[in-house]
Amino acid sequence: IKLLMEKGYREISIVQLKELQKSNEPFILINTLPPYFYRKEHIINSINIPSEEIGITTPRIIKPEARIVLYCKDYNCHVSTTAAEELIKLGYKNIHIYQGGMKEWKEKGNLTSGLRATAEKDFIEGP
């Protein structure tokens, strides 16, 4: 993370992420976990690009000037940091990491999507 901050990249807090979601500013929210975890549950309006595929997939679908927010499981998960480092090598300059990840997002009562979504109306049991 220190490397990211030295290069102008930064962590984004849950408050900042929610403010960004409410704003009209364009950004792309990427879940960097394997597809199984994404299908099971993810932050609403996020896309899934697993960390090991970030260097191949991202340049094909996302412009280098795009604002990107990466997240994974929680503060102990470094998958999003690895993905950010790969994007930096590829020339992406507007990268943010939401370190709280899925754990903090759910603990703070925010809704999710997927097979085990936290929305009250969803009673689907996943694998």
Side-chain angles (χ1 to χ4, degrees):
I1 300 299
K2 187 177 180 186
L3 169 68
L4 297 177
M5 291 183 181
E6 288 174 0
K7 291 193 169 207
Y9 306 104
R10 64 184 176 100
E11 288 186 26
I12 188 170
S13 70
I14 191 169
V15 172
Q16 292 168 315
L17 177 55
K18 290 180 83 170
E19 287 173 3
L20 188 56
Q21 288 176 322
K22 290 178 187 176
S23 76
N24 289 326
E25 294 181 49
F27 76 101
I28 300 166
L29 182 59
I30 302 175
N31 177 310
T32 58
L33 295 168
Y36 166 78
F37 293 101
Y38 179 80
R39 283 190 301 272
K40 182 178 169 187
E41 192 168 31
H42 57 271
I43 297 174
I44 294 171
N45 293 325
S46 66
I47 63 171
N48 181 226
I49 305 177
S51 183
E52 62 272 5
E53 296 174 17
I54 204 101
I56 298 165
T57 304
T58 307
R60 292 180 183 165
I61 62 172
I62 301 173
K63 295 179 181 180
E65 62 274 9
R67 176 185 266 185
I68 298 172
V69 178
L70 305 167
Y71 75 96
C72 54
K73 289 182 186 180
D74 57 29
Y75 285 102
N76 296 317
C77 179
H78 301 289
V79 175
S80 57
T81 304
T82 302
E85 290 170 355
E86 182 67 26
L87 291 177
I88 292 165
K89 289 178 192 172
L90 293 172
Y92 286 82
K93 304 211 181 298
N94 199 0
I95 300 170
H96 305 272
I97 299 175
Y98 169 49
Q99 285 292 99
M102 285 300 302
K103 183 177 181 187
E104 180 183 52
W105 188 259
K106 289 172 23 177
E107 284 176 352
K108 300 288 183 178
N110 296 292
L111 297 180
T112 60
S113 186
L115 294 175
R116 293 191 183 237
T118 56
E120 291 179 24
K121 64 180 176 26
D122 293 330
F123 295 103
I124 299 171
E125 278 298 321

